């Protein structure tokens, strides 16, 4: 990496609060680790490290003034603890949350979005909601959902995924049949662990109040369309993750009922993650419902088939 002599360099491949200036050379274990890494470069980059199960780094750029970062650190550390309790491990030796807050060039041109990576997440937005002081505990938990969700993506789909998710080498994205699993089941995870009734209302609205042409799509058709336009037309993105989350919620309630509360869909997520780790490949869409049934010893076929259909 080469930049101006006095500009510090932060990389999620080898994060550090002691940023090298001007030029930095580092190694990566493989192509995906290199390609999926992030960089912040420039004099207004600030970095803070927090102690968690593994080191957590918050790297931030805010155009108007420095943000208060401690609450991001608390949310990241707590998210790691939750994910470790579900999956039994953390598949990274450090984690970085990158925050970029900038003044939009035009109104509504910079909607807030997040992007997940192997060992980091990047969050984009304007400067209207910057954090300047510590939040109360209730607000801390309420605003933690999106960070837990994106950190959860380090498991699904970055390391546990279905057809066509990897390898990714073409300029045009693959058509993915189960974005509803990647996104919806990870929103379910955050909803379930943080007990967020507000998010259940969001899932319902995005599913049943969606535009008629979107509701007429089967779940696979919706996923295929969202493969190319997830954020470009976020009505599609919201619809596909919400249908997936509502499927997971219904399955979760059914599994708990049938097992007397001994199993839940969180056990299914751990099962799927371990299956991919053991088999070192994607699961096919034919295998997926079979694996779901196997994961908790409960037949979920009727719920799975129901949610594959268009929304009435």
């Amino acid at each position: 990496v080469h930049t101006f002599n006095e500009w510090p360099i932060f990389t999620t491949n080898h994060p550090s609060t002691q940023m090298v200036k001007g030029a930095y050379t580092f190694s990566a274990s493989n192509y995906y680790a290199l390609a999926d890494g992030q960089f912040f470069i420039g004099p207004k980059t600030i970095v803070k490290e927090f102690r968690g199960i593994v080191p957590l780094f918050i790297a931030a750029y805010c155009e108007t003034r420095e943000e208060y970062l401690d609450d991001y650190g608390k949310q990241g550390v707590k998210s790691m603890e939750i994910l470790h309790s579900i999956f039994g491990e953390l598949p990274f030796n450090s984690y970085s949350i990158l925050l970029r807050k900038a003044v939009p060039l035009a109104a509504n041109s910079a909607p807030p979005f997040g992007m997940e990576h192997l060992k980091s997440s990047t969050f984009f937005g304007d400067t209207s909601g910057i954090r300047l002081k510590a939040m109360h505990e209730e607000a801390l938990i309420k605003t933690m959902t999106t960070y837990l969700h994106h950190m959860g993506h380090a498991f699904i789909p970055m390391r546990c995924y279905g057809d066509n998710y990897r390898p990714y080498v073409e300029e045009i994205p693959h058509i993915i049949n189960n974005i509803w699993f990647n996104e919806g089941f990870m929103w379910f995870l955050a909803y379930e662990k943080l007990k967020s009734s507000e998010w259940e209302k969001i899932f319902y609205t995005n599913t049943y109040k969606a535009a008629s042409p979107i509701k007429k799509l089967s779940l696979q058709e919706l996923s295929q369309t969202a493969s190319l336009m997830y954020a470009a037309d976020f009505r599609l993105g919201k619809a596909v993750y919400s249908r997936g989350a509502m499927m997971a919620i219904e399955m979760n309630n059914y599994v708990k009922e049938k097992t007397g509360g001994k199993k839940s869909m969180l056990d299914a997520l751990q099962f799927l993650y371990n299956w991919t780790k053991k088999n070192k490949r994607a699961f096919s869409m034919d295998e997926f419902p079979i694996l779901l049934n196997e994961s908790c010893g409960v037949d979920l076929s009727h719920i799975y088939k129901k949610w594959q259909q268009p929304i009435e």
Side-chain angles (χ1 to χ4, degrees):
V1 182
H2 295 273
T3 184
F4 300 108
N5 290 337
E6 295 305 312
W7 278 29
I9 301 164
F10 177 85
T11 171
T12 60
N13 294 87
H14 293 279
S16 174
T17 56
Q18 304 301 311
M19 291 180 283
V20 176
K21 294 182 179 180
Y24 183 51
T25 301
F26 66 94
S27 61
S29 56
N30 56 60
Y31 166 79
Y32 286 107
L34 175 66
D36 210 45
Q38 275 60 63
F39 297 93
F40 267 12
I41 304 174
K44 292 187 72 174
T45 300
I46 56 174
V47 179
K48 192 164 185 178
E49 181 178 356
F50 296 87
R51 182 177 297 177
I53 298 174
V54 299
L56 172 72
F57 294 86
I58 308 294
Y61 164 78
C62 185
E63 186 174 354
T64 52
R65 60 188 299 183
E66 285 191 5
E67 270 204 286
Y68 177 79
L69 301 183
D70 285 9
D71 285 342
Y72 291 114
K74 291 178 183 178
Q75 291 171 319
V77 167
K78 181 63 177 176
S79 293
M80 285 196 291
E81 292 171 354
I82 290 172
L83 292 168
H84 187 274
S85 72
I86 295 170
F87 294 101
E89 66 178 28
L90 296 178
F92 38 74
N93 57 10
S94 66
Y95 198 87
S96 301
I97 293 175
L98 278 66
L99 308 167
R100 192 226 62 185
K101 307 284 178 68
V103 178
L105 295 176
N108 302 317
S109 66
F113 265 101
M115 186 64 196
E116 65 277 357
H117 305 277
L118 283 167
K119 53 184 294 185
S120 65
S121 298
T122 309
F123 298 91
F124 307 91
D126 61 29
T127 57
S128 60
I130 62 174
R131 299 180 181 182
L132 300 177
K133 60 182 181 180
M135 291 185 289
H136 295 296
E137 186 68 19
E138 183 179 347
L140 198 72
I141 297 299
K142 185 177 181 179
T143 58
M144 178 177 154
T145 317
T146 190
Y147 302 102
L148 174 57
H149 166 81
H150 281 88
M151 192 178 286
H153 277 318
F155 296 85
I156 298 171
M158 301 305 295
R159 292 171 172 88
C160 171
Y161 46 88
D163 295 346
N164 294 335
Y165 185 76
R166 288 174 65 179
Y168 179 81
V169 292
E170 292 89 349
E171 293 181 12
I172 299 174
H174 285 298
I175 301 300
I176 302 174
N177 293 315
N178 66 337
I179 293 178
W180 50 266
F181 168 66
N182 301 348
E183 291 293 333
F185 279 49
M186 285 299 96
W187 278 118
F188 157 75
L189 182 153
Y191 151 84
E192 176 70 4
K193 292 302 294 186
L194 299 179
K195 306 300 181 187
S196 177
S197 58
E198 178 183 343
W199 272 97
E200 189 168 8
K201 295 175 184 176
I202 291 171
F203 300 148
Y204 182 91
T205 299
N206 291 342
T207 299
Y208 291 103
K209 308 282 185 187
S212 179
I214 294 177
K215 290 197 291 184
K216 289 179 180 178
L217 296 173
S218 70
L219 192 56
Q220 182 168 314
E221 290 171 335
L222 177 59
S223 182
Q224 291 170 343
T225 306
S227 296
L228 303 176
M229 300 177 64
Y230 186 92
D233 185 341
F234 197 44
R235 295 178 306 166
L236 294 164
K238 290 189 292 186
V240 75
Y241 78 63
S242 294
R243 283 201 216 176
M246 291 197 69
M247 179 201 300
I249 290 172
E250 185 172 345
M251 287 180 172
N252 190 53
N253 293 336
Y254 189 73
V255 168
K256 286 182 176 180
E257 176 189 337
K258 291 298 180 182
T259 64
K262 294 179 180 178
K263 294 282 187 179
S264 75
M265 285 304 290
L266 297 178
D267 295 289
L269 296 180
Q270 183 188 56
F271 177 92
L272 291 165
Y273 172 72
N274 288 333
W275 184 93
T276 306
K277 185 178 176 182
K278 177 183 177 182
N279 290 275
K280 296 182 173 59
R281 66 173 178 86
F283 49 77
S284 71
M285 292 314 298
D286 289 333
E287 289 174 313
F288 185 69
I290 299 171
L291 293 173
L292 273 182
N293 291 346
E294 186 180 345
S295 67
C296 293
V298 176
D299 188 353
L300 297 166
S301 302
H302 63 293
I303 300 175
Y304 183 82
K305 290 176 182 176
K306 165 192 168 182
W307 282 101
Q308 301 305 311
Q309 305 305 313
I311 298 299
E312 298 297 332

